[in-house]
Amino acid sequence: MSGVEVAGIIVAVFWAILISFLAVALVRLAQVLRATTKLVSEVTDQAVPLLADASSTVRSARTQLDRVDAIASDVQEVTSNASALSSTVATAFGGPLVKVAAFGYGVRKALGKGDAAPGGGPQRASRRTVIVGRTVPAARRRKQKD
């Protein structure tokens, strides 16, 4: 064998080993691609229903928020109406009722029926001692009432 033939055989063996390594790498790459395709398919199968459920939940939440907004605006309207009604009633009836109460109190006092004590008997008239330029201590005032 000549040197050229030996070199050709070495090159051929080198190329055969290189092609074998490349074939093994391509087979493993194909396996990885198949596993990746299967994984993406499974994720897609699970993600699509989850996204549909999430979309449905978001729509339902929006509907509920619209209802709550409507209720809040109704409550605000009722509150303003109640406030207006309260001020109207106070304006319309407050003054006259105070006047009627004051008139009734005056009539009772004038007729002497306002002098009754809480126990039902006549009230004791309170005595006052007036000293010009001087204030009577509270303890003395209590003694004078007894």
Side-chain angles (χ1 to χ4, degrees):
M1 283 198 165
S2 72
V4 175
E5 292 176 0
V6 173
I9 292 176
I10 291 176
V11 170
V13 169
F14 173 75
W15 278 109
I17 292 173
L18 182 64
I19 290 174
S20 298
F21 282 133
L22 287 175
V24 169
L26 286 175
V27 167
R28 288 190 178 171
L29 181 63
Q31 290 173 349
V32 168
L33 287 175
R34 269 188 247 118
T36 303
T37 303
K38 182 179 176 184
L39 180 65
V40 167
S41 174
E42 289 174 359
V43 167
T44 302
D45 291 344
Q46 292 177 3
V48 169
L50 288 175
L51 290 174
D53 288 346
S55 176
S56 172
T57 302
V58 167
R59 272 190 238 109
S60 174
R62 181 184 170 118
T63 302
Q64 295 300 325
L65 285 174
D66 289 341
R67 288 180 183 167
V68 167
D69 188 38
I71 290 169
S73 65
D74 290 345
V75 166
Q76 183 179 10
E77 184 179 340
V78 167
T79 301
S80 65
N81 288 343
S83 175
L85 179 65
S86 171
S87 63
T88 301
V89 166
T91 302
F93 297 112
L97 284 177
V98 169
K99 290 177 184 175
V100 167
F103 179 74
Y105 179 76
V107 168
R108 273 187 289 141
K109 280 294 194 178
L111 295 177
K113 292 184 180 179
D115 291 339
Q123 281 184 339
R124 286 180 62 190
S126 63
R127 293 186 330 178
R128 290 188 184 177
T129 304
V130 178
I131 302 173
V132 178
R134 203 163 173 221
T135 305
V136 178
R140 264 185 72 196
R141 274 188 256 148
R142 275 190 232 115
K143 288 180 184 177
Q144 289 177 358
K145 287 183 181 180
D146 293 337

